[in-house]
Amino acid sequence: MKRERIPSRPRGGHRLGEHRPDPALSRPSLPVRDSVGDLPYGGFGGKGANQAVAAAMGAVTQLVAKVGGDANGLSALANLRSASVGVDTVITEVSAPTGQALVMVDPYGENSIAVIAGANALLSAQDVTDALTALQLQAEDVILTSGEVPQSCLRAVASNLPPGTQWVHHAAAAGTLPAWLEGHRPLLVVNEVEARQFAGAADARAAARTLAEGASGAVVTLGGDGALVMEEKRCQHLPAPAVTVIDTTGAGDVFCGALAAELTHGHPLARATTNATTAGAFAITALGARGGLPCPRDLARMRAR
């Protein structure tokens, strides 16, 4: 996600992912068939971009992604720059539109999301290799990826990791996990439903153990119940602060971005996860994928409650 250029901020890694505008629609219930909602809300989104913006709150961040050669692509790049996210490795694909998503949110903050991949789907393994070469990764960096990029891009990440560079993989959206190369296994981050799906386990703790066996560790997010951290065969439950839920869209992205930023400070995984859980909790107190991005002062206030 990031490269050091500001002495007061830590070196980090780089975020590999996607950017898209995410209009939101507030409605009384999530649709099963055609229905009408209200209170449309426009905003920026995309799993990769959300995570990069969240990480940039605590570390120097660079995004590897593709946008289209359209007005949405131009506004996306401007938005990222305004959030202090480096875009030197964001490629403009003139032959494709910028990806989009329609987010529907019910009164309880739960959401349903329809995604149009657009230029995001055209990110290639060679694009990733070229970007990581240009970024000159170092041991202090953290790479953050997600399940929304092609598996060929994940293999390119594994092939271009310098010794000591940390790799965090947010496995959403749930599909299949790649066969990680020995010695190039990431820390997996999944929610409880995804954990059970990937591991075929009956409960979150069992799923965390199974997933950690094939990775460098596992973090399973539990929504309002916090998160499980599984490393070195030890499973630890970390609670989340209680908040009023407005919109859960992007909470996992904020969690992952904050986690990666915390890891660039050299914090132990449990401490990094505790702070990321607080960031994710703050994120759901406002509408939109980036409506509730916490600054360090917000997190300190929540931890003090």
Side-chain angles (χ1 to χ4, degrees):
M1 265 173 341
K2 28 203 179 316
R3 290 183 62 205
E4 173 81 341
R5 284 293 179 269
I6 305 174
S8 61
R9 301 173 104 180
R11 261 198 81 89
H14 310 269
R15 177 62 184 90
L16 177 70
E18 63 297 315
H19 191 290
R20 56 179 180 257
D22 282 1
L25 182 66
S26 178
R27 45 167 300 106
S29 63
L30 297 179
V32 177
R33 301 186 63 181
D34 294 347
S35 56
V36 177
D38 56 10
L39 298 178
Y41 170 86
F44 291 97
K47 189 170 293 297
N50 293 341
Q51 293 176 352
V53 171
M57 301 291 286
V60 179
T61 302
Q62 190 87 19
L63 178 64
V64 179
K66 276 193 173 181
V67 296
D70 51 17
N72 282 334
L74 290 174
S75 60
L77 291 173
N79 175 262
L80 288 166
R81 292 188 187 99
S82 71
S84 300
V85 175
V87 296
D88 290 346
T89 49
V90 176
I91 302 166
T92 297
E93 182 64 54
V94 296
S95 64
T98 300
Q100 296 192 52
L102 176 63
V103 183
M104 289 164 282
V105 183
D106 71 13
Y108 305 100
E110 296 301 319
N111 64 69
S112 178
I113 305 174
V115 176
I116 302 170
N120 300 326
L122 301 180
L123 189 70
S124 70
Q126 189 60 54
D127 293 331
V128 173
T129 297
D130 292 345
L132 297 186
T133 299
L135 290 168
Q136 300 178 349
L137 297 178
Q138 298 184 21
E140 306 96 296
D141 290 335
V142 176
I143 296 285
L144 175 58
T145 59
S146 83
E148 287 195 355
V149 299
Q151 291 200 5
S152 60
C153 293
L154 300 179
R155 289 192 289 271
V157 170
S159 299
N160 287 277
L161 283 181
T165 301
Q166 296 184 78
W167 178 14
V168 179
H169 181 62
H170 186 204
T176 58
L177 288 175
W180 309 113
L181 298 174
E182 188 66 37
H184 296 283
R185 294 176 175 178
L187 168 70
L188 284 181
V189 180
V190 291
N191 65 31
E192 184 174 4
V193 173
E194 293 160 348
R196 292 178 179 177
Q197 177 181 329
F198 287 132
D203 63 80
R205 283 183 177 270
R209 292 190 186 94
T210 299
L211 292 174
E213 289 173 359
S216 67
V219 176
V220 178
T221 58
L222 307 173
D225 291 330
L228 295 175
V229 173
M230 186 74 191
E231 61 175 341
E232 298 179 352
K233 298 184 179 181
R234 178 171 178 263
C235 190
Q236 184 176 1
H237 175 246
L238 303 171
V243 297
T244 300
V245 179
I246 301 299
D247 181 5
T248 58
T249 307
D253 299 339
V254 173
F255 176 94
C256 289
L259 177 68
E262 288 289 319
L263 291 174
T264 68
H265 289 266
H267 294 157
L269 181 56
R271 175 177 171 179
T273 302
T274 295
N275 291 338
T277 299
T278 303
F282 187 91
I284 66 176
T285 62
L287 185 66
R290 300 185 206 163
L293 285 172
C295 67
R297 184 173 60 253
D298 296 322
L299 299 181
R301 188 162 51 241
M302 287 190 71
R303 287 192 293 266
R305 291 193 317 186

